[in-house]
Amino acid sequence: MDFQNILEKQREFFNSQKTKNVKFRKMYLKKLRDALVNNEQELYRAIFEDFGKSKFDTYTTEISFVLKDIDYYLKNINSLSKPKKVSTNLANQFGSSKIYSDPLGCTLVIGAWNYPYQLSLSPMVTAIAAGNTCILKPSEVSENTAKAMSKIITDVFPPEYVSLIEGGVEETTELLKLKFDKIFFTGSTKVGKIVYEAAAKNLTPVTLELGGKSPAIVSSTADFDVAAKRIVWGKFINAGQTCVAPDYILVDEKVKDSFLDTLKSYIQKFEYTAESPQYTQIINIRNFERLVKMIDQDKIFVGGNSDAAKRFIEPTILHNVTWDDAVMKEEIFGPILPVLTFNNFNEALRMIAEQEKPLSAYLFTKDSDEIENFVNKISFGGGCINDVVMHLSNDNLPFGGVGNSGIGSYHGKYGFQTFSHQKSVLDRATWGEPDLKYPPYTEDKLNWIKKLL
Ligand code: NAD
């Protein structure tokens, strides 16, 4: 496929100014909304074929997210795209100052496979809400969902406005050679670096939504029942293939045993079996094998069984884990939950601070000093107190990583800003200007300027 040609057509379309029109953007957002609703069953079928994800999970963690984003922008595009008047300083009187949310132009969105609809369509929706064109490249790993999205995008959008390109490394490498005005990438830190390097050649701004090892601290003061229930849900939804899932637990040594028992009781209660609708498959055999290798048979507290034919790995909790174990050397991205312990709270924070900055961090506690220290002393993309994962569902919070877990953020108005340039314009009156700044310079003028500035 001639990607250069698609991009040139998109640039021509962008230059026609059509996407600047807010009514035009809304019309296409509505068309996309209708298409998603009309194709809901097909979206369920495709994702089930890719990795056995249930309708319930697909609706709650994917389709509802995209619909919510569309509704948010339909409601807020007018105010978000309206120029913002700001005050004008004395040196620029008489004048007025405004910030324009200017669409960046032609954007490239590269998606990941683990929430294939949400992670491809939500950034794309945001890109077009902000007035850009978009080339969307979903992950080839979840190939059925990529095909389902391709059909919808082709039906809804003219290719010079939004185009979906299927493909993997080869196609993405070709796309990254082109000069976009913005690249929005979701995926691993390793590939994020490749994208960043390619973007640098054209000085293209990037947003990188990456991963990492997100900790969950359980203090001795925590409500164990709530902590265990929420951690088990957030870890094993999508079989642990969630960028913001708690990767490992740091629990106070004093309460470790009773907390582990509570975790186990919830795993049993939630009935995560190969056949149950509340559990998904591991995406492919490569990841299945990578994960199985991480399970140290001597450290299994619960779970540990797997079935390659069904790409099923039981929810597995490992205890007596140390930082030297294989499971602590990389992002797990699967249903394995290692538990480490600490003796005092600052030690837990120190352990987190010694690792790369995580995408998320979670703290379960009733102690306000611990909350204060957790929030202020360690760096992480975002997180929750007494919950996991749910911060990303609040559109009023920017979602993104820091350091190794990413650059930039999106969701709600932050997404709109991510896909816009803040263009500053000073509009000056042609009258009423003192002659102070113009030559010839005199002592008198300087004294006046000193007073004014
Ligand atoms: P990945 O980095 O392997 O792939 C992401 C995308 O990059 C895919 O579209 C793929 O086709 C493309 N790609 C892969 N190799 C490439 C290469 N060499 N050159 C150019 N493009 C290439 O990631 P993944 O396996 O799809 O997703 C898992 C990772 O993504 C995890 O690290 C996870 O934490 C992270 N993630 C982050 C978020 C977030 O919002 N921050 C969300 C989901 C997943």
Side-chain angles (χ1 to χ4, degrees), residues 188-236:
S188 61
T189 303
K190 186 175 135 238
V191 179
K193 289 179 183 175
I194 297 173
V195 172
Y196 202 11
E197 205 175 326
K201 294 207 171 79
N202 290 312
L203 276 185
T204 299
V206 294
T207 297
L208 303 175
E209 295 283 342
L210 312 177
K213 287 184 88 63
S214 299
I217 306 177
V218 181
S219 140
S220 59
T221 67
D223 179 326
F224 290 167
D225 195 66
V226 168
K229 186 180 189 177
R230 293 181 181 171
I231 288 175
V232 167
W233 173 81
K235 176 69 186 186
F236 298 110

Side-chain angles (χ1 to χ4, degrees), residues 412-448:
K413 72 171 182 186
Y414 303 98
F416 198 90
Q417 284 167 3
T418 283
F419 281 100
S420 310
H421 166 61
Q422 304 299 299
K423 188 156 79 184
S424 301
V425 177
L426 169 70
D427 183 352
R428 289 207 69 188
T430 50
W431 47 269
E433 186 189 33
D435 229 15
L436 291 175
K437 76 177 181 203
Y438 299 105
Y441 299 149
T442 64
E443 275 301 308
D444 225 24
K445 282 185 180 174
L446 184 60
N447 286 336
W448 268 108

